Amino acid sequence: MLFRSAFLIAMLAAGRLSAQSATPTEPPAEGPVPATTPAAVQIEELERRLRELAARVNELESAGGKAPEHTAADGEQRGLTGGSDSEAATPPREEPSAVSQTGPISGYMDFHLNRPEHADPVLDFHRFVLLFNHSFTDRIRFIGELELEHALVEGLEPSGELELEQAYLDFRVNRAFNLRAGMLLAPVGIINERHEPPSYHGVERPFVDTFIIPTTWFDAGVGIHGTFGAAWHYRAYLMAPLDATRITAEEGLAEARQKGFLSNVRSIAQTARLEYGGLPGLTLGTSFWQGESGFNFPREGAHVGVVEFDGRYHTGPFAIRGEFAQVFIDGADALNDLLQRTAGVNPNIARQMRGFYIEPSLRPLPKLPYDTAVFLRYENFDTQFRMPPGVLPLKQFDRAAWIVGASYFPDPDIALKVDYSVVRNQSLLFGSVDSLNVGLGWWF
């Protein structure tokens, strides 16, 4: 890190000297002369960056020349997605830069081999994601995320999806208060804002973050975010609501997202997240989402709410994380009645859904040059947890899962994963399917 920073300083200094040698010398003026030409502006910008790099080198030297390192097994990762609270923790400079900057481009990808029990194995390039950013000034920044799922998008045929998951402007005011508007990630749970493959264990995302919290959950909105106190981070948004008529007994809220496609905003949903990271190795978080979601049947109401709690802790080679989430659907009985009259089948939508998981992990060989981790996760996810009066739950959707696996990191940003999942339900009529999964994921 020191050698790279020193090299950058040398290059910037050489560039400034070259620019000065190419400019005719003039008699010095009394007092500072403001930069009025593009070349002068660039020189001032190089000088500013040179001072910043010099200050950074001094900081690293005083810290022993080593930058902090993190691995996925630690449970705390840098995030490529815009929901990271590290942005709010870094205040903008008092004098905004006069030169805008695009990039660098970043992204993440993963592909999986899934072999369900009693079925043929499937090889799927699951995600190809590119993230773009542009800084107009030190206080205004654009973030965009474009995702291609399952490698192929083809009209009128079963295929993958092309989604714009993020596209927003950040207006950075100060450490405690900043504005954000555009296509946003709902700040609910651990995975929805931090879903790059090396940031979590297991080939697939947790079931709780699929059926109870519909990851990836995004829509158009506007909000605020920031940091206060020593270690408190918050995000609070107004967003487009869910579509209650697309809630299902099996997949919960997964298909109810409007995803910014002509989103109906007759009612505005509210969502927020609060995190605390003031103790070494510990991060605690809570979030909620609530909004009127019955815009497709105006005569009836359908209010959907989500509450969530989570925690992550790591010390040495050991880490543990857990999450609890519960969904509340007011008006589920009227919703079932409406959908039965229009489709002819009762959708059996519950008035409450619940899910939780706990996941300990261990780095058994911490002294190896390449990181490895083993983990065990237990999940319970029930999309039929509480039913409206007179409606019986479908027990095949009251499910529990054990996932055991390992992750190998040839580089901190590359993860080779393998796991075996055992899924069971409470029904005597419907069996469950176990699965062997192998995946390779990376970010940059």
Side-chain angles (χ1 to χ4, degrees):
M1 182 70 182
L2 286 174
F3 294 110
R4 185 172 61 184
S5 300
F7 176 74
L8 288 173
I9 291 174
M11 292 297 293
L12 288 173
R16 182 180 181 280
L17 290 175
S18 298
Q20 287 181 336
S21 63
T23 305
T25 58
E26 297 180 2
E30 296 188 13
V33 178
T36 58
T37 67
V41 170
Q42 292 179 359
I43 290 173
E44 285 190 357
E45 176 66 11
L46 288 173
E47 289 177 340
R48 182 184 63 79
R49 294 184 180 183
L50 185 63
R51 290 193 297 269
E52 291 179 355
L53 285 172
R56 179 58 178 158
V57 169
N58 291 334
E59 291 177 4
L60 292 174
E61 287 177 345
S62 62
K66 293 184 179 180
E69 297 181 357
H70 299 281
T71 66
D74 291 334
E76 289 299 317
Q77 280 281 350
R78 64 175 175 86
L80 298 178
T81 54
S84 173
D85 47 37
S86 61
E87 299 174 12
T90 306
R93 284 183 289 269
E94 292 300 323
E95 298 181 359
S97 169
V99 180
S100 63
Q101 180 179 356
T102 299
I105 295 176
S106 55
Y108 65 92
M109 294 89 193
D110 61 353
F111 70 96
H112 303 161
L113 173 65
N114 303 104
R115 184 166 186 172
E117 190 177 17
H118 311 305
D120 292 336
V122 175
L123 185 62
D124 179 30
F125 200 104
H126 199 156
R127 296 179 182 90
F128 179 89
V129 182
L130 292 178
L131 293 105
F132 308 89
N133 70 83
H134 176 81
S135 296
F136 297 91
T137 70
D138 289 339
R139 295 183 182 274
I140 304 176
R141 186 169 69 148
F142 164 76
I143 297 290
E145 178 182 355
L146 190 64
E147 175 169 332
L148 173 62
E149 292 193 3
H150 307 297
L152 174 68
V153 176
E154 187 174 2
L156 304 178
E157 297 289 340
S159 63
E161 295 179 318
L162 183 63
E163 297 178 329
L164 182 64
E165 292 195 351
Q166 295 187 88
Y168 65 82
L169 286 176
D170 240 352
F171 300 89
R172 307 181 70 185
V173 181
N174 55 47
R175 182 174 180 268
F177 182 83
N178 306 276
L179 301 174
R180 181 172 289 173
M183 187 76 83
L184 306 176
L185 295 175
V188 181
I190 300 175
I191 297 294
N192 198 58
E193 293 182 300
R194 302 175 180 91
H195 47 254
E196 300 85 2
S199 69
Y200 62 90
H201 291 303
V203 175
E204 305 291 349
R205 295 169 181 175
F207 292 108
V208 172
D209 291 298
T210 302
F211 297 111
I212 308 300
I213 300 173
T215 304
T216 301
W217 190 353
F218 59 92
D219 216 312
V222 61
I224 59 176
H225 65 98
T227 299
F228 62 93
W232 293 93
H233 311 281
Y234 76 92
R235 295 176 289 287
Y237 305 151
L238 300 176
M239 299 181 69
L242 297 171
D243 182 355
T245 60
R246 302 185 64 185
I247 300 173
T248 66
E250 179 180 4
E251 296 186 331
L253 303 181
E255 297 301 320
R257 298 161 293 174
Q258 296 194 73
K259 299 184 178 181
F261 175 70
L262 301 177
S263 297
N264 188 305
V265 288
R266 190 182 72 181
S267 298
I268 302 296
Q270 304 91 46
T271 181
R273 177 169 178 82
L274 181 65
E275 287 184 342
Y276 175 73
L279 298 177
L282 178 66
T283 301
L284 299 175
T286 183
S287 50
F288 80 90
W289 190 99
Q290 69 92 24
E292 294 292 338
S293 303
F295 50 83
N296 278 330
F297 52 110
R299 295 183 180 179
E300 302 289 345
H303 184 94
V304 179
V306 180
V307 294
E308 180 272 346
F309 305 92
D310 60 79
R312 289 158 285 166
Y313 177 72
H314 67 91
T315 176
F318 175 77
I320 189 169
R321 63 169 54 188
E323 183 177 71
F324 174 90
Q326 190 154 341
V327 177
F328 301 87
I329 304 173
D330 295 335
D333 49 353
L335 182 60
N336 283 324
D337 181 66
L338 171 74
L339 295 178
Q340 183 173 16
R341 285 188 282 110
T342 55
V345 178
N346 191 327
N348 231 72
I349 297 173
R351 63 182 177 88
Q352 291 185 30
M353 308 177 191
R354 187 197 66 184
F356 62 89
Y357 73 82
I358 186 167
E359 179 193 281
S361 62
L362 182 69
R363 297 166 58 199
L365 302 171
K367 294 184 179 181
L368 286 182
Y370 303 110
D371 196 15
T372 58
V374 294
F375 76 97
L376 175 67
R377 181 167 69 239
Y378 172 75
E379 299 195 54
N380 185 287
F381 52 108
D382 185 1
T383 54
Q384 301 276 279
F385 181 60
R386 294 284 186 268
M387 304 302 299
V391 180
L392 296 177
L394 301 176
K395 290 297 185 180
Q396 66 267 33
F397 302 137
D398 180 1
R399 293 157 285 188
W402 288 93
I403 302 96
V404 60
S407 302
Y408 169 66
F409 301 89
D411 181 273
D413 296 333
I414 301 173
L416 176 61
K417 306 179 182 183
V418 58
D419 67 54
Y420 191 83
S421 63
V422 178
V423 183
R424 295 291 181 265
N425 64 54
Q426 299 299 315
S427 174
L428 299 177
L429 301 177
F430 294 87
S432 300
V433 178
D434 302 342
S435 179
L436 174 66
N437 309 292
V438 181
L440 178 63
W442 59 94
W443 60 9
F444 59 90

